[in-house]
Every structure is written in C-alpha cells, then in structure tokens.
Amino acid sequence: MKIACTVNGRARTVDGAWEGESLLSVLRDRMQLPGSKNACEQGECGSCSVYMDGVLVCACLVLGGQANDRTIVTIEGLATGTALHAVQQAFVEAGAVQCGFCTPGLVVATHDLLARFPEPSVMQIREALAGNICRCTGYAKIIDAVQLAARRIAVDEHSAR
Amino acid sequence: MTEHPRLAPRTPVTGRVGDSVQRPDAVLKVKGDFPYSSDLQVEGMLWGATVRSPHPYARIGSIDASEALASPGVRAVLTHEDVPGRKVYGLEIPDQPVLAFDVARYWGEAVALVAADSPEEARRAAHKVQVDYQVLVPLTDPELALTPDAPSLHEGGNVTRQVRIRHGDQNARAEVVVTGEYEIGMQDQAPLGPESGLAIPDGQGGVDLYIATQWLHIDRDQLAECLALSREKVRLTLAGVGGAFGAREDLSMQAHACMLALRTGRPVKIAYSRPESFVGHVHRHPGRLRYEHGATRDGKLVYVKARILLDGGAYASSSTAVIANACCFAVGPYECPNATIDGWVVYTNNPPCGAMRGFGSVQNCYAHEAQMDKLAAALSMDPVELRIRNAMKTGSSMVTGQVVEGPVPVADLLRRVRDVALPPATTSDPVDLTEMPGGVSNTTHGEGVKRGVGYAVGFKNIGYSEGFNDYSTARVRLSVVGGRPRVEVHTASAEVGQGLVTVQAQIAGTELGVSDVVVLDADTAVGSAGSSSASRQTYVTGGAVKAACEAVRERVLSLAQSEMGGLSADAGDGRRLENDAIVSADGAVVVHLATLLGEEVIEETREFHPRRTAPLDPETGQADAHLQYAFAAHRAVVDVDTELGLVKVVELATAQDVGKAINPQAVEGQLEGGAAQGLGLALMEEIQVKDGVIRNASFTDYLLPTILDMPPLRMQILELGDPHSPYGLKGVGEPPTISSGPAIVAAIRAATGRPLSRAPVRPHDIVDTSPLPS
Ligand code: FES
Ligand code: FES
C-alpha cells in the first residue's frame, strides 16, 4: 500500500508497505529514520515514541496506513539546525544516556511532558515517563535530566520575554 | 566493492582520570543518530528469520523446506546440514548446535534459517518450513536431573559441573544453628536492544559481521570454527549495542547471519523481536539453595554448610563459571573458619542459562543474607551488628583459602548505609496516592500498610577467575592532526552502554597529556580485549590502554632527548606530558608535541595481563582463584500493603568501594542501574517456565522496573584504592546488582514477619492465609 504523510516537516511517500506494517517499521525500514527504537513492538517500552498530529504515540502501535495524511515528528525532527534541543542537551549533561536505546523515546516523551507541565514535580515526571523503560540507568539521571531541561527552558523563555 | 554500513562518527574526548566526562556517543544517541546493530542497512540486503522448536524436547526427523523455498522473496533456507564447519558452539563446552540436529533440547531452539527480500517475507516463509518432530517428555526439574534414573540430555550425564569447597573443620559444632531453604527465579537481562547484526560476504569466501556483542574475538573464534573459515576470513566490527548485562556473551544470530550471507552472496541482516530475544539468549540461573549456619552465642560464625543447585537449562553456556562463583561467594563477605559447600549446575530442558550481571553471586546473596538475619533473630542481635561482627577485613581468608588483600571495607559499608537518616514516614494528609503501594491505582489510603527496613551486603570477583588467561590489547597512536597532537585508541573492547568509550579516552588523556583523544571502532583488526563482563574492562582494557600509552610516552621522551637533548640538560626525570606538550618538573613547556612530532607517528600496541589466578582444587575448592574482590552494601526501606501484597520501595541507600572512580558520573550510573536490576529480581522479574515453555516472553508479561518503581538511591562512593590495579580502581558494574535485591526482601520480611524464602517476592508470598509463625 501507499502511505503519504509529513515527517519532520517534509512530505514523504512510501510505496509497497504491507497492510499490517506498523508506523515504526515504515519509519525505520522504509524512510531511513531508524532513530525511533523497537525494543518491544508491543506498546510497553516507549522506545518508539513519536508525535502524530502533535499527540505522543507509540509508533509500534500505529499502523503505517493510519499515518496517511498525518503529521509525524520523530526524534530526528526535534532539534532545529545543528544545536541540540534543550531536552537533548540535558540528557547528555545529566548522564542520562548509557546504552541509549531508550533515549530517543524518553527524549520525545520528556519533550511532550514539558510542553504540558513546564515545571513538573518529581511525581509528575515519574507518572509521565512510566511508559518508558530504561534498563541501564535506574532512572535517577533521567529525572535529573528532565529537571535540568525544565530549568533551562524556563530561563530561555524568561529571557525571550 | 561491497557497501558497508554507516557506523558512528568518531568524536574526540577531552578529559582526565577522575573527571565526569560526557560520553562522545551521547549526542548521537539523543538525536536518534547513533547506529545500533538493529539500524544497519545496506543496498541489496536480505533479511534472515529463524525457525524455532515449538517443543522443549523433541527428536528431529526430516525437515522439508520446499514450501518455504517456493514462497515469495525467499532466497535460501538452511538447516544443520548446511553448517559448513563444527556444528556446535559454546563458551566453555561446545555443546550447543548452530542449528538443532537429532534433538531440540529447549523451547525456541533454532532449527532452520530463511533469508528473504523483506523481514515479513522471511517471517512468513519461516512458518512454512516443515519439521518432523517426535515429541519427547522434557526433563524440567533440576533435582530430578541429578538423579541417576533421569534421562541423560548430553553425553556424560546431566551434571555440567559440581563444585566442592571444604574449608576448615568439617565436623565443627555450634551453640546456635539456623537453617533455611531458598529459591531464586529465572531473571532475564532484557537489554533494551534485541539481538541483531548484519553479515556482509566479501566475495572471496570471507565475511564481515557488524554485531552487538560483549566479546568480538570469542565470537570470531567460534564463528571461524562453525563456518570452517580461517580467523582472518571472519572479521567483526562492533555495531551500536543496546545494553548487554550478560545476554550477549553467547552467540545468538551471529553464525546464522554469516551462513545466510555466505550462501546467498548478499548482505543479510537478522534482528530479533522481543519474544524471540527471550529465547535468543541465556538467562540468569534459577537456583535452589539450602543453608545451615552455626554460630557462637556471642554471634561469631562457626561454620556454614550450603548446598546450591542451579538449573543450567539445555546447554552449558558459562554455567561452569557461574556455579564456581555461587560456591566461592556462598558465605558472603564474612569470616567463616569452617565451610562445607556443595554446588551443582545441571542440564534440563529449560531455557539455557548463563551470564547475567552478578554472575552467581546474586542467587547466593539472597540466601546468605536471609541466613544472617535469621541468625540475628535467633541471637536477639541487631542484624547489622551481627554482620559487622563477622565482616571480612584486610587479610581475612575466603572459604577458598584465598587471603583477601587491599581494602576490605565490609563493616564500614554497613555502618555507612545504616547511618543514613531514615526517610520520614509517609503520613501526608490527605494521603498522596503516588506514595502508596499500588500508587494511583487507589488500592490503599494507608490502611494495612507497614514499613520495613532491611540490610544486605555482598561481594564478587572482578575479572576472570580460576586460572583463565585474562588479558586485553590496546593500540595507541599519537600523531599531529591539524597542527594539534591527537591520540587514537584502538581496542576490541565492547562498549555496551557502561561508558568504556570515555574510560579509554580518559586514561589516554591522562597518560599522554593530550586533549584530543579519539576511541576508534572496536573490531577484530586489533588483538582481543576479552569480554565486557565480570566488571573487568576498566581494569583490564584500561590497563592495556595505560600500558600502550606508557610505551608511546617513553618514545616521545626519548625522541625529545635525541632531538633536543643538548637544549634541555635540566629536564631530567621530572619530564612529563601535559597540555599537549612535554613539560619539565616545574611545569614549564619543554616542547610542544606538535612541534616535536611534525610528520612523525608514534604507535605502540600492548597487552595487559593482570596477575594470574589458580583453578579450584576439585576436592577442596581451595585456591587463589580470583583476581580482585568488590564489595557493596544496601539498605532498603519499603512500605508493604499487607492486605494486597503490594510493595513500594521508599528508598535505597548504598555504599560501595570503587577503588578509584575513573568517571564519577558513569560510576553513579552503574550504581543506580545495577540497583534497579536488583530491585527487579526482588520484586517482579521472573521468566515463568512451565513444562519447559516460557509463558511470558514479552515486555507485557515479563515485568521490568519502571521509573515509578525505582526509589531515590542514596549513594556513598568510596575510593579506597586497590594496591594492584591500574589507578587503584575496582570493577564497578556488578556489586550494585548483588545486595540491592536481598536488602529489599529483608525489608519486606521486617515489615510483614513473613519468611519470604524466594525471589522474586510475589503478592501471594506476602498475603498468606496460614497463621504467622510464632
Ligand atoms: S517498541 Fe513501541 S512501545 Fe516498545
Ligand atoms: S540507557 Fe540503556 S536502556 Fe536506557
């Protein structure tokens, strides 16, 4: 089947996807966007988190066909230009990245969290990221990273005013 | 020329030993640009799929591939008959078929392979391979496997290894005796990146494999045997690794991808799904442990007797080393003059077990720490006090007779975790559900919730033991690039997430005083680095990088001496490399490296061999079998809903001696991540195996700790310095996984009064209808 959608601001079309193929496979194997990861393909780990029409979804649970005419933003589309997004920069600095397989999903989920709650409490962070499994870090530095990103974004917005 | 996949670009690292240096790969990882093994793609690539046995034990008759071969997109179907060389492999005993022949011995064992144009076509064709199975009754009880009438699963019987330790007086008697039986479930490493790799034939009979593994050279050596190729014709490069924790020590899809690539003449990628990953790697051994502790009335251990039975499953993997650890560390880090330890690891038709973080020291820690608590109760002593009274110190003897050298801060670690202020009771009004066991599921508002505090301490060996020739190789090259000195470090050590990329660069930066250090891709073009296991890489590959840097430095200094000897008569011995220059003892620049070197390139390769260990005496288990010992202690505070059996870990505190923190931020990450895996085994992680079949091979049914499950971790990191190791460092990765779980179970015991003799603790272990023991 044919799928036409906007991915990271670009119009993309793929041909030849089969009907049961997930959006995650379409992104990874047909659009050369392997940043979204495939740790479970069952909606349990969040490593495939992307935005579809601005809503955080597990790309493994969305059929490729459902993305037709939609707007997708993946981990590859979060930064503008060469600079890292504040969330990405915070993950690097806080030591929240070990093997990094969970990282793309966590960065997208954190991006979404901070858009909704610019100053999240630790409990809000825990609740919001409970769908993202990390096997390496024990999560402490991920919480640090989210808080660091929140502070940075607040300062940036303050100085932009 | 064949196209090769894009790997991560090399990012220079600046930093010294002791700095919290940022990972050079982190920027790529946060952007989704880091190429993991499962991301690799090249033009014309085929996809492989694996046909697996649906029976835990079955005789294999004919295999009919005709229907699969006729299905769309299929390029090859291979069986055991197509294995070019040795049909079996294995880390210690080559007993595992590349593809099953004669019999399949576990559920999910690989039987045949398919290569097709797309992953879906490969998967579909795999279902069409007809295998004629004659189903046999699986042997799934490890106790039964030990008995003489059990069917023999391998030539030579079902005992993969028996370990005997006889230390001191075998007839010692004690005033106070406590006994216990403990059971540990099968844990999965669950690295987030499933097994995957890409094999590319070179058109001349050889193959290049891009792979996520823990030890490139042992993979290569096993592949060469199985593919009937010389080692030079099998070249491995480390692709991005999504965690390991022991799961990548054995071969998974390596030989399969190479066979398909060599047969089809096309690049072949195999990437497991999560369910396939559960049968594609070995697990932590489930264990049954029976203990008897004898002590004096004032709480000194007199003897420990232990019988340890580990279920190794269908194939040996690293079972022989795991059982040795389980026995050597069976007593815990305590002085115990008399010990009688018997351990067995056996073959069954359960999933094969092998390496996982903690490697044999995890199972026994649950048992010896529960025993210490029991003994404390029997003596009416404080459990921490009892442990301190028996704690090993410098010069203490192991039950193997080995004298433990260097700092042995067992008592200090225990005091430190005990003295951390306890977290306040959760008494907010109105109740904050997120603080309750069960969380926002609204299962309690505090009624039936009891708090408990528990302690545990554990230890294990760093590096390979029992006389193994453990070593690593490093090539270090110093040249001038763009007017500045640059160091390139080349080793075959596997970066699996732990942070070896910064450690190697920091060591080179420290030794050569250069601020631009690049760690090259790990591959088999350089000598073996040994495995990224046993918490050994910083020690052993770190030692090799240091040695190679020292050799480079010597050449730099003698070059300076010969070129400008007359100019700097005062320089003498105090000269060192710093700030991209040779500086004199007082820090003045003698010459900039860029000036000195010009076009010259200085390259040195060194092997680092830590001191040799000795094999265990087969009768008594006595030997200096281990290189280094690492210790950690944990305290857990839990809230338990005693009506529903739900547990919330409120806080963990830990203290660990790391000798020297090469990268403190990365060390913290190891302590945090290791504690989470310990919590997992204590509370939720268990592969459910029934009649040899895994019932929960998915992340839906195999539960992993989430960010909601992990409490704050209060860490105290000690740097006491080992007298023998590079920079005084100790291996860091495993100790956090050893005592964290047992501390949590002890805390639940304290909260509930239940005996809790198995891990993970299940709700129905906590909520019991039988009366409480008096
Ligand atoms: S891969 Fe989509 S949630 Fe795990
Ligand atoms: S960093 Fe490895 S899974 Fe999170």
Side-chain angles (χ1 to χ4, degrees):
Chain A
M1 64 187 289
K2 195 168 167 176
I3 302 164
C5 54
T6 306
V7 181
N8 300 333
R10 267 180 66 201
R12 300 287 299 259
T13 310
V14 300
D15 225 341
W18 68 283
E19 290 71 12
E21 197 162 317
S22 70
L23 171 60
L24 182 60
S25 299
V26 170
L27 292 169
R28 287 177 51 79
D29 300 334
R30 298 186 190 274
M31 291 184 173
Q32 274 67 52
L33 290 170
S36 308
K37 291 292 170 266
N38 55 348
C40 77
E41 295 178 277
Q42 238 178 23
E44 296 291 342
C45 74
S47 69
C48 61
S49 301
V50 301
Y51 284 110
M52 182 158 82
D53 287 352
V55 177
L56 186 69
V57 296
C58 292
C60 70
L61 294 185
V62 176
L63 285 173
Q66 287 177 288
N68 204 35
D69 287 340
R70 306 290 195 99
T71 299
I72 310 293
V73 177
T74 72
I75 183 69
E76 289 97 338
L78 280 196
T80 35
T82 52
L84 294 179
H85 185 275
V87 172
Q88 294 170 318
Q89 183 62 33
F91 269 68
V92 172
E93 285 176 33
V97 179
Q98 288 187 29
C99 86
F101 211 79
C102 66
T103 307
L106 271 158
V107 167
V108 175
T110 301
H111 186 272
D112 176 63
L113 164 69
L114 295 182
R116 290 181 292 123
F117 300 102
E119 290 171 52
S121 67
V122 170
M123 247 319 148
Q124 281 173 323
I125 296 171
R126 288 184 188 273
E127 287 291 341
L129 301 183
N132 290 77
I133 290 172
C134 172
R135 189 53 160 165
C136 299
T137 65
Y139 303 104
K141 301 214 175 326
I142 290 169
I143 295 174
D144 293 348
V146 177
Q147 291 174 322
L148 178 61
R151 284 199 301 275
R152 293 254 173 87
I153 292 170
V155 169
D156 287 354
E157 280 177 1
H158 185 76
S159 52
R161 253 178 240 147
Chain B
M1 229 198 88
T2 341
E3 188 199 349
H4 283 259
R6 181 185 72 94
L7 297 176
R10 295 158 188 170
T11 318
V13 176
T14 305
R16 300 286 184 264
V17 166
D19 297 347
S20 284
V21 174
Q22 278 172 21
R23 306 176 61 102
D25 55 7
V27 170
L28 297 169
K29 286 174 174 176
V30 297
K31 291 198 292 186
D33 282 346
F34 184 75
Y36 293 90
S37 54
S38 49
D39 299 335
L40 306 180
Q41 290 199 21
V42 289
E43 213 31 60
M45 170 181 99
L46 302 175
W47 291 76
T50 312
V51 180
R52 295 181 178 277
S53 169
H55 309 291
Y57 196 27
R59 196 157 290 291
I60 294 176
S62 59
I63 302 177
D64 179 3
S66 52
E67 206 191 325
L69 273 168
S71 45
V74 171
R75 305 291 169 155
V77 179
L78 305 182
T79 70
H80 62 89
E81 289 177 359
D82 303 297
V83 178
R86 198 175 68 184
K87 289 186 186 300
V88 287
Y89 67 91
L91 289 171
E92 284 155 7
I93 303 168
D95 63 355
Q96 181 157 2
V98 175
L99 291 168
F101 55 91
D102 299 339
V103 284
R105 293 184 183 82
Y106 75 96
W107 181 77
E109 182 165 349
V111 177
L113 304 169
V114 177
D117 292 341
S118 73
E120 190 51 28
E121 285 167 328
R123 266 195 297 273
R124 286 183 193 190
H127 288 297
K128 295 183 184 160
V129 176
Q130 304 289 337
V131 184
D132 176 22
Y133 293 105
Q134 183 201 330
V135 177
L136 302 170
V137 180
L139 174 63
T140 58
D141 179 352
E143 287 287 358
L144 205 62
L146 265 183
T147 61
D149 340 315
S152 219
L153 298 182
H154 289 270
E155 236 174 82
N158 294 328
V159 177
T160 318
R161 185 177 180 190
Q162 179 181 1
V163 174
R164 276 166 62 92
I165 295 179
R166 298 290 181 271
H167 186 65
D169 178 2
Q170 295 302 296
N171 300 309
R173 290 177 179 283
E175 295 161 319
V176 183
V177 173
V178 294
T179 61
E181 278 195 53
Y182 306 92
E183 190 181 317
I184 312 301
M186 185 187 290
Q187 189 179 19
D188 192 59
Q189 302 87 344
L192 223 55
E195 290 77 0
S196 48
L198 172 64
I200 303 178
D202 66 6
Q204 290 155 20
V207 64
D208 288 280
L209 178 66
Y210 295 84
I211 185 70
T213 183
Q214 290 178 233
W215 186 355
L216 289 164
H217 284 76
I218 203 155
D219 282 9
R220 180 201 62 182
D221 294 354
Q222 295 188 85
L223 289 171
E225 289 265 12
C226 297
L227 300 171
L229 291 174
S230 68
R231 289 175 177 179
E232 295 68 44
K233 284 196 164 297
V234 184
R235 295 164 298 266
L236 274 68
T237 302
L238 191 72
V241 185
F245 317 116
R248 300 187 205 273
E249 273 197 19
D250 296 77
L251 296 182
S252 56
M253 44 53 67
Q254 286 89 327
H256 301 159
C258 291
M259 281 170 61
L260 290 170
L262 290 166
R263 176 61 70 93
T264 59
R266 303 259 300 265
V268 174
K269 171 169 169 173
I270 296 182
Y272 287 178
S273 66
R274 180 56 54 183
E276 192 170 22
S277 175
F278 272 93
V279 295
H281 62 251
V282 300
H283 313 287
R284 189 191 299 290
H285 292 76
R288 296 179 193 177
L289 306 93
R290 202 156 67 207
Y291 271 67
E292 180 179 315
H293 276 53
T296 61
R297 285 220 183 283
D298 59 355
K300 283 294 280 181
L301 284 178
V302 176
Y303 69 83
V304 172
K305 294 181 183 171
R307 176 190 186 274
I308 299 174
L309 175 60
L310 300 182
D311 183 353
Y315 296 106
S317 178
S318 50
S319 279
T320 55
V322 173
I323 189 66
N325 268 14
C327 293
C328 290
F329 304 99
V331 172
Y334 303 113
E335 291 186 334
C336 180
N338 310 300
T340 312
I341 318 283
D342 286 291
W344 290 267
V345 60
V346 293
Y347 288 119
T348 64
N349 292 114
N350 289 323
C353 291
M356 183 176 172
R357 194 176 194 171
F359 202 87
S361 267
V362 170
Q363 294 90 335
N364 64 30
C365 190
Y366 278 95
H368 65 64
E369 290 305 271
Q371 284 289 102
M372 291 306 272
D373 283 345
K374 256 190 196 180
L375 189 57
L379 293 163
S380 307
M381 259 182 90
D382 175 75
V384 176
E385 228 18 78
L386 175 71
R387 285 173 170 84
I388 290 173
R389 189 161 301 183
N390 290 284
M392 278 186 159
K393 14 186 183 315
T394 304
S396 294
S397 171
M398 294 277 295
V399 293
T400 56
Q402 182 167 4
V403 172
V404 185
E405 299 170 23
V408 183
V410 178
D412 185 28
L413 298 176
L414 284 161
R415 282 192 196 100
R416 282 170 182 272
V417 293
R418 181 192 60 195
D419 294 345
V420 175
L422 281 163
T426 21
T427 49
S428 48
D429 185 26
V431 161
D432 181 353
L433 281 177
T434 59
E435 292 181 353
M436 291 289 130
V440 293
S441 308
N442 198 14
T443 50
T444 179
H445 284 215
E447 61 282 5
V449 174
K450 294 207 174 109
R451 175 154 292 192
V453 180
Y455 294 88
V457 60
F459 73 143
K460 92 171 281 288
N461 51 336
I462 304 302
Y464 279 33
S465 296
E466 293 192 79
F468 187 86
N469 178 21
D470 199 1
Y471 74 96
S472 180
T473 319
R475 182 182 298 158
V476 171
R477 179 187 157 100
L478 173 65
S479 62
V480 180
V481 177
R484 289 181 56 205
R486 159 169 292 192
V487 176
E488 289 175 340
V489 179
H490 190 187
T491 74
S493 62
E495 166 63 55
V496 297
Q498 79 278 48
L500 213 42
V501 273
T502 73
V503 162
Q504 296 179 74
Q506 288 173 265
I507 290 174
T510 301
E511 296 301 324
L512 296 175
V514 170
S515 53
D516 183 346
V517 182
V518 173
V519 176
L520 304 185
D521 292 332
D523 59 30
T524 50
V526 62
S528 175
S531 184
S532 290
S533 348
S535 307
R536 62 178 281 290
Q537 283 293 21
T538 300
Y539 190 137
V540 188
T541 291
V545 173
K546 183 166 184 278
C549 287
E550 283 162 359
V552 167
R553 184 174 58 212
E554 214 162 288
R555 281 185 53 193
V556 170
L557 291 176
S558 61
L559 179 69
Q561 196 61 38
S562 63
E563 300 232 326
M564 31 191 316
L567 292 178
S568 53
D570 62 326
D573 289 344
R575 280 184 188 180
R576 56 187 198 276
L577 272 58
E578 211 175 278
N579 297 329
D580 295 348
I582 296 179
V583 299
S584 60
D586 56 11
V589 171
V590 177
V591 59
H592 287 284
L593 289 178
T595 315
L596 175 70
L597 288 169
E599 301 280 284
E600 186 134 1
V601 174
I602 297 182
E603 181 179 296
E604 289 291 340
T605 303
R606 286 293 180 276
E607 279 183 6
F608 175 71
H609 294 252
R611 35 179 203 156
R612 229 20 209 267
T613 56
L616 295 176
D617 180 281
E619 292 307 312
T620 64
Q622 300 298 291
D624 288 353
H626 304 296
L627 172 67
Q628 186 187 52
Y629 296 97
F631 306 86
H634 285 84
R635 181 188 73 191
V637 179
V638 301
D639 281 342
V640 185
D641 182 339
T642 55
E643 292 164 5
L644 290 174
L646 300 176
V647 177
K648 177 171 179 74
V649 183
V650 176
E651 186 199 88
L652 285 170
T654 187
Q656 181 173 336
D657 172 26
V658 303
K660 167 76 189 168
I662 304 294
N663 181 333
Q665 190 185 56
V667 165
E668 289 173 11
Q670 289 299 304
L671 268 57
E672 291 159 346
Q677 292 183 1
L679 179 146
L681 178 56
L683 293 180
M684 64 190 82
E685 288 187 41
E686 182 170 12
I687 296 185
Q688 309 281 344
V689 183
K690 190 147 191 296
D691 302 327
V693 177
I694 298 181
R695 311 308 294 264
N696 58 342
S698 74
F699 279 179
T700 305
D701 299 313
Y702 182 89
L703 301 184
L704 293 160
T706 69
I707 198 168
L708 280 174
D709 298 304
M710 263 313 278
L713 176 68
R714 314 259 171 251
M715 285 180 277
Q716 296 177 70
I717 296 170
L718 279 62
E719 299 181 271
L720 302 180
D722 180 288
H724 295 294
S725 65
Y727 308 106
L729 69 85
K730 280 197 176 195
V732 169
E734 289 171 289
T737 309
I738 297 171
S739 46
S740 44
I744 291 168
V745 176
I748 306 171
R749 254 187 235 117
T752 62
R754 294 280 166 198
L756 303 180
S757 57
R758 97 182 284 288
V761 176
R762 302 156 300 188
H764 60 271
D765 297 323
I766 295 171
V767 185
D768 195 344
T769 47
S770 62
L772 282 170
S774 51

